[in-house]
Amino acid sequence: MTLKNSFLADGRENKKIRNTFFSDAFENMKRRNWVFWLSFLTFLCYFPGYLVLALNNIRSSFEGADAVGLIRMQQRMNENTETIFLLNGFMPVLIIGLAVLIGMQGFVYLHNKRQVDFYHSQPVSRKRRFLVLWFNGIVIFAVTYLINMLLGMIVAAAFGCMSGVIFSGAMQGFFLYLLLFLGIYHISIIAVLLTGNTLVSLLAIVVLLGYEIAIRAMKVVMASSFFLTYGHGEEEKIFDTFLSPIVTIYKYIVLRGNENRYSQYAQNTYTYDGTVVSLVVLAVLFGLISYFLYTKRASESHGNSISFPKIKEVLRFALLLLIGGFGTYLIYYIAGENVALGIIGAVFFVGLGHAVIQLIYEVDFRAIRK
């Protein structure tokens, strides 16, 4: 952090430097510049980089074409440009990866005793430290995205593919992707705060991101397998997520491109406005949880599998519910839809899961590092 005062050799005060929020953020950003440049290069390849290669390749393939061919060339160039700037299925993959990386990199110092001792010895409140780290993560994403999106628009304009529709769609896409980033970003921070080891944090991120959809999918599969009166139209409701920002954004993207393949119910559920509201609620909810956990997390939790001992049994029950359901589903179908063997599979997987969870809880990661 920045020193508040500096002095000359004879002890006289040279100048007073105010230790403001933005000075702290600037100092922290200097230690995170590699993440900034990695994010920048990712979007540089995605927006201007891909467009230059794709549009130039299309132009080369129509070299010497007649008037009809030139019209087709322009159509293909416009379609490629729209695919990049408007909502598509590949961009969320980049967003999720960057959100996990940026979220973990900002808060993973909590897993290192030396860094915890250094940062927590500074005269800075936990609220201030959290907000600095949190703010910088959002800046890294938003700035690198917008700069390269604008560079991509310049490239598109140079090839004659830019339009007001594409600009409007690109801005709408940025807003949705920013909300998606915030949801995944906060979940990644929560995973880091709940654990004291980076590997366990990665496992926690996978569980937190996929838990709800896994539970819903197993519920539909098991209900349709064991209850004859269960409605077959319920499969579509697997994706009626409450807590998954990933499913929320993908459902909207898929519906946007394939409206004829989905029911009126799904189309009414996943509108643009509804998707925005859902992502805002999730981003705020997960953000408040991450802030609460940061203020309550004990500094000496580094190296422990779980930072909050009181939630160990709650996590164990939630994970065993998931593992047992998966075991039932797996053995039931492998055994030719045999109910008895499905139940045996549930017992086996619950026992195995309990052993694995207990091993994770009891392993001393600090001793392993030494």
Side-chain angles (χ1 to χ4, degrees):
M1 298 299 173
T2 310
L3 296 176
K4 289 188 176 181
N5 297 285
S6 59
F7 297 88
L8 296 174
D10 60 1
R12 291 182 294 108
E13 185 176 353
N14 182 21
K15 62 181 179 178
K16 190 172 184 178
I17 305 174
R18 293 191 62 192
N19 192 17
T20 65
F21 173 86
F22 290 104
S23 66
D24 289 349
F26 179 75
E27 289 297 319
N28 175 258
M29 185 65 78
K30 289 194 296 185
R31 291 189 287 272
R32 305 179 68 179
N33 57 4
W34 72 268
V35 183
F36 178 92
W37 289 112
L38 179 62
S39 178
F40 185 88
L41 290 174
T42 299
F43 289 124
L44 181 69
C45 293
Y46 182 84
F47 283 118
Y50 172 81
L51 280 175
V52 168
L53 295 176
L55 298 182
N56 189 62
N57 182 56
I58 294 173
R59 177 177 286 180
S60 299
S61 65
F62 282 90
E63 188 175 355
D66 56 13
V68 176
L70 293 177
I71 294 175
R72 290 179 58 194
M73 178 191 74
Q74 193 62 46
Q75 289 176 342
R76 285 188 56 186
M77 293 171 67
N78 291 340
E79 290 172 357
N80 272 263
T81 304
E82 290 177 0
T83 300
I84 288 297
F85 285 109
L86 305 184
L87 294 173
N88 61 78
F90 183 68
M91 176 60 92
V93 177
L94 296 181
I95 304 299
I96 293 166
L98 287 173
V100 170
L101 173 66
I102 295 172
M104 290 194 66
Q105 193 272 338
F107 291 84
V108 79
Y109 81 91
L110 292 167
H111 297 170
N112 185 291
K113 181 180 184 302
R114 183 176 299 177
Q115 293 187 36
V116 169
D117 292 342
F118 171 75
Y119 284 110
H120 290 192
S121 66
Q122 303 296 323
V124 179
S125 67
R126 287 203 173 195
K127 175 182 177 181
R128 172 82 159 264
R129 188 181 297 110
F130 175 86
L131 291 177
V132 166
L133 296 172
W134 174 81
F135 175 77
N136 274 353
I138 298 174
V139 168
I140 289 171
F141 170 78
V143 170
T144 56
Y145 186 108
L146 286 173
I147 290 176
N148 286 289
M149 185 182 73
L150 293 175
L151 290 176
M153 289 180 177
I154 293 173
V155 171
F159 281 88
C161 301
M162 195 62 199
S163 67
V165 173
I166 290 179
F167 178 81
S168 175
M171 296 307 298
Q172 286 187 350
F174 167 72
F175 184 59
L176 279 180
Y177 289 141
L178 177 61
L179 294 177
L180 172 65
F181 171 83
L182 288 175
I184 308 299
Y185 179 58
H186 292 154
I187 289 175
S188 302
I189 296 173
I190 291 172
V192 172
L193 295 175
L194 287 175
T195 62
N197 175 269
T198 304
L199 178 59
V200 181
S201 295
L202 289 172
L203 294 174
I205 290 173
V206 173
V207 172
L208 290 174
L209 290 179
Y211 190 87
E212 183 191 9
I213 188 63
I215 288 292
R216 286 178 174 273
M218 286 191 298
K219 174 216 168 192
V220 170
V221 170
M222 292 182 181
S224 61
S225 300
F226 294 110
F227 298 96
L228 295 176
T229 57
Y230 189 77
H232 294 288
E234 296 294 317
E235 284 83 354
E236 191 177 59
K237 295 186 179 181
I238 292 175
F239 299 101
D240 289 351
T241 178
F242 296 108
L243 297 176
S244 175
I246 296 176
V247 177
T248 300
I249 191 72
Y250 266 114
K251 187 75 171 184
Y252 173 71
I253 292 174
V254 170
L255 283 174
R256 187 174 177 274
N258 302 278
E259 292 183 359
N260 294 331
R261 295 178 55 189
Y262 290 87
S263 67
Q264 192 64 42
Y265 165 79
Q267 293 179 37
N268 292 336
T269 303
Y270 286 86
T271 61
Y272 177 82
D273 293 340
T275 303
V276 168
V277 171
S278 296
L279 291 176
V280 168
V281 171
L282 293 179
V284 173
L285 174 63
F286 294 143
L288 292 175
I289 293 174
S290 63
Y291 173 74
F292 174 79
L293 292 176
Y294 188 85
T295 58
K296 299 299 181 181
R297 189 181 193 274
S299 298
E300 61 273 12
S301 297
H302 49 80
N304 299 328
S305 57
I306 302 297
S307 303
F308 299 87
K310 293 183 178 180
I311 68 170
K312 280 188 174 183
E313 296 310 312
V314 176
L315 292 176
R316 187 197 304 276
F317 174 80
L319 290 174
L320 289 180
L321 177 66
L322 185 63
I323 295 170
F326 172 76
T328 305
Y329 164 72
L330 181 64
I331 303 300
Y332 174 74
Y333 278 101
I334 290 178
E337 300 186 4
N338 187 298
V339 176
L341 289 179
I343 296 174
I344 293 174
V347 174
F348 172 78
F349 273 86
V350 167
L352 179 63
H354 176 77
V356 172
I357 293 169
Q358 191 64 28
L359 178 63
I360 294 174
Y361 282 178
E362 293 183 359
V363 166
D364 187 347
F365 292 98
R366 285 170 288 192
I368 292 177
R369 284 199 298 269
K370 291 180 182 180

